[in-house]
Amino acid sequence: MSTVSRRPSSPSALRAAQGQFNFEAWRISLAEAVAKAGGLNDSSADPASVFVYRGELPEVAAKLGVDVSKYSGPIIPVVYNINFRDPAGYFLATRFQLRNKDVLYASNAASVEDAKVMQQIRLVTATVNDPIVAAYNATLLRNSIKLAP
């Protein structure tokens, strides 16, 4: 017996500062979900750190090597990691079907944290430097007005 569901599933994708995306399709592969969520931005996403958070039945989790004795409920949390830097990761993602309530997460690239630090340094430097530059410009303007005929 097979059943057809009219209710679209609702896997969602999370990206830093981008929000949540619900997919209207009832069947969608991981590769399609990444594309529909806007893809992996070269400057902000780490293609080796794409994760799917999913609740699995204890039997499935045990086959994946998860110690299910730590969990008392009927659903075991499992995190799948897909590496899009590896070409095999893409082919795996085309066959990996997302399910209702799955969460897709693309982690930030390491350079994003470096950029945040540099932005903070720039903010401190500008806070100190801007009044000095303004005072210097005011002095130049005052001196040029005094020298005007």
Side-chain angles (χ1 to χ4, degrees):
M1 178 178 161
S2 62
T3 58
V4 177
S5 173
R6 290 182 175 269
R7 187 176 141 252
S9 66
S10 58
S12 37
L14 302 175
R15 295 185 297 168
Q18 297 296 319
Q20 181 173 343
F21 303 89
N22 289 318
F23 303 106
E24 299 303 321
W26 69 275
R27 273 187 74 148
I28 187 168
S29 73
L30 174 57
E32 292 169 323
V34 168
K36 286 187 177 199
L40 299 174
N41 187 318
D42 289 341
S43 63
S44 63
D46 181 2
S49 299
V50 176
F51 302 95
V52 174
Y53 297 88
R54 173 181 287 173
E56 293 284 9
L57 295 173
E59 301 81 37
V60 174
K63 286 181 183 177
L64 293 170
V66 176
D67 181 10
V68 296
S69 65
K70 298 178 185 178
Y71 303 97
S72 60
I75 301 295
I76 309 298
V78 176
V79 179
Y80 295 92
N81 177 224
I82 292 81
N83 181 353
F84 278 95
R85 282 196 181 118
D86 180 1
Y90 171 75
F91 292 110
L92 173 65
T94 61
R95 294 190 329 252
F96 191 97
Q97 294 295 312
L98 291 183
R99 296 182 192 156
N100 192 21
K101 305 300 181 195
D102 280 356
V103 175
L104 168 62
Y105 177 75
S107 181
N108 283 340
S111 62
V112 170
E113 297 306 316
D114 296 339
K116 288 178 184 178
V117 170
M118 295 304 294
Q119 181 63 27
Q120 290 299 317
I121 291 170
R122 168 67 184 111
L123 183 62
V124 170
T125 304
T127 301
V128 172
N129 191 43
D130 289 350
I132 295 169
V133 170
Y136 178 75
N137 288 340
T139 303
L140 282 177
L141 181 60
R142 186 185 67 197
N143 290 341
S144 65
I145 291 172
K146 284 183 183 177
L147 294 176

